[in-house]
Amino acid sequence: MSNDDDRTEARKAKVEAMRAEDRRKEARRKNLAVTLSVVGVFVVVVAAMFAVNRLGSGQTSAVAAGESQLVRADSHRLQTAADGKVTLVEFLDFECEGCGAYFPVIEELRKQYAGKVTFVARYFPIGSHFNAERAARAVEAAAKQGKFEAMYQRMYETQKQWAEKQVPADAAFRGFAKDLGLDLAAWDKAYNDPATLERVKKDAKDGEALGVQGTPTFFLNGKKIEPRSSDEFKAAIDAALAG
């Protein structure tokens, strides 16, 4: 091989080495970005913990046989595992930025652990969030027509449109009900029914009794967890499934 060929091969090797290093740097940058975004979510959660408005007298509803303050007979299950071995419960606020950030993570976990993990959603609207309680009522009103999951998803998908505003979002929520093909007269009646608000408050009171102070708060098989990344979330679930 000539000297020119040697130099050409050396240059190619150097270029490949530089490209490989660039790929490693990009991978580290993405991992750091994910970590920082999750840390940001927990900053929001910590801030929310100091903004909780205690509901009612703090007294909890009676716990019926087969129920717990974590999961009631009427608690909304996004999906159910037949063996009932692992249950993930989330106390959430539809106006909470942290909950919105975790929404795609939960959706991905639901796909990955379909049939293996039961996912339960509980209402916990924060008092300082102007439309949080309204959003929970809107979802509960949709649930009465079998559309809990659809409205739950719509709330997070549109959160930036209506959240953090000091004006009622009733019209927007009614628009979501219409888009989902709900019976609007029945939805209106449920949305304004005091019993719907009591249903929301029942979840929140259970959360308070369990020590929930901010959102999102997760319980895995009854134990409060604070995953700082999707990988930590998966590791906790995998450990519960293996246990």
Side-chain angles (χ1 to χ4, degrees):
M1 182 178 293
S2 68
N3 290 336
D4 287 342
D5 290 337
D6 288 341
R7 285 193 290 271
T8 298
E9 289 301 319
R11 283 196 295 271
K12 286 182 178 180
K14 185 176 182 179
V15 169
E16 284 302 317
M18 292 173 64
R19 288 176 176 171
E21 179 61 23
D22 286 342
R23 288 194 292 270
R24 286 193 291 271
K25 287 181 179 179
E26 178 64 13
R28 288 195 294 270
R29 185 191 67 78
K30 288 181 178 179
N31 288 337
L32 178 61
V34 171
T35 299
L36 290 177
S37 66
V38 173
V39 170
V41 167
F42 274 90
V43 169
V44 173
V45 173
V46 171
M49 289 175 65
F50 292 96
V52 174
N53 181 31
R54 295 291 181 183
L55 297 173
S57 64
Q59 294 180 345
T60 59
S61 302
V63 179
E67 291 187 337
S68 74
Q69 288 178 328
L70 275 170
V71 183
R72 300 272 188 174
D74 63 353
S75 292
H76 295 297
R77 293 158 176 80
L78 293 167
Q79 61 193 47
T80 302
D83 62 11
K85 182 177 181 180
V86 177
T87 298
L88 178 69
V89 178
E90 177 185 5
F91 283 86
L92 57 85
D93 173 335
F94 292 109
E95 193 169 353
C96 165
E97 185 179 358
C99 295
Y102 263 101
F103 168 66
V105 175
I106 296 299
E107 292 294 280
E108 185 59 35
L109 291 174
R110 287 179 59 197
K111 292 177 184 177
Q112 183 169 346
Y113 295 99
K116 298 179 180 179
V117 176
T118 297
F119 289 79
V120 180
R122 307 287 308 268
Y123 304 117
F124 198 84
I126 303 298
S128 60
H129 290 163
F130 190 84
N131 281 301
E133 193 173 87
R134 286 180 170 86
R137 285 165 46 210
V139 175
E140 183 60 22
K144 294 184 183 301
Q145 297 186 46
K147 293 291 186 178
F148 172 84
E149 182 178 351
M151 187 67 95
Y152 157 94
Q153 293 174 331
R154 183 62 61 89
M155 285 297 175
Y156 284 130
E157 291 166 354
T158 63
Q159 187 187 70
K160 293 182 180 179
Q161 299 175 20
W162 56 267
E164 298 185 5
K165 294 179 174 62
Q166 299 302 306
V167 293
D170 308 80
F173 298 156
R174 192 174 193 271
F176 300 161
K178 181 178 180 181
D179 292 342
L180 293 175
L182 300 183
D183 179 331
L184 290 182
W187 185 88
D188 288 339
K189 182 178 180 180
Y191 182 68
N192 294 302
D193 188 344
T196 300
L197 178 57
E198 284 305 310
R199 170 67 182 78
V200 171
K201 287 185 174 182
K202 184 173 76 170
D203 270 13
K205 288 177 181 178
D206 277 347
E208 288 182 353
L210 292 164
V212 175
Q213 294 181 300
T215 55
T217 294
F218 299 100
F219 291 88
L220 184 62
N221 280 359
K223 181 181 179 180
K224 183 179 177 182
I225 61 170
E226 298 181 356
R228 293 170 293 181
S229 68
S230 59
D231 286 342
E232 286 191 9
F233 228 139
K234 293 174 184 176
I237 292 174
D238 288 341
L241 286 169

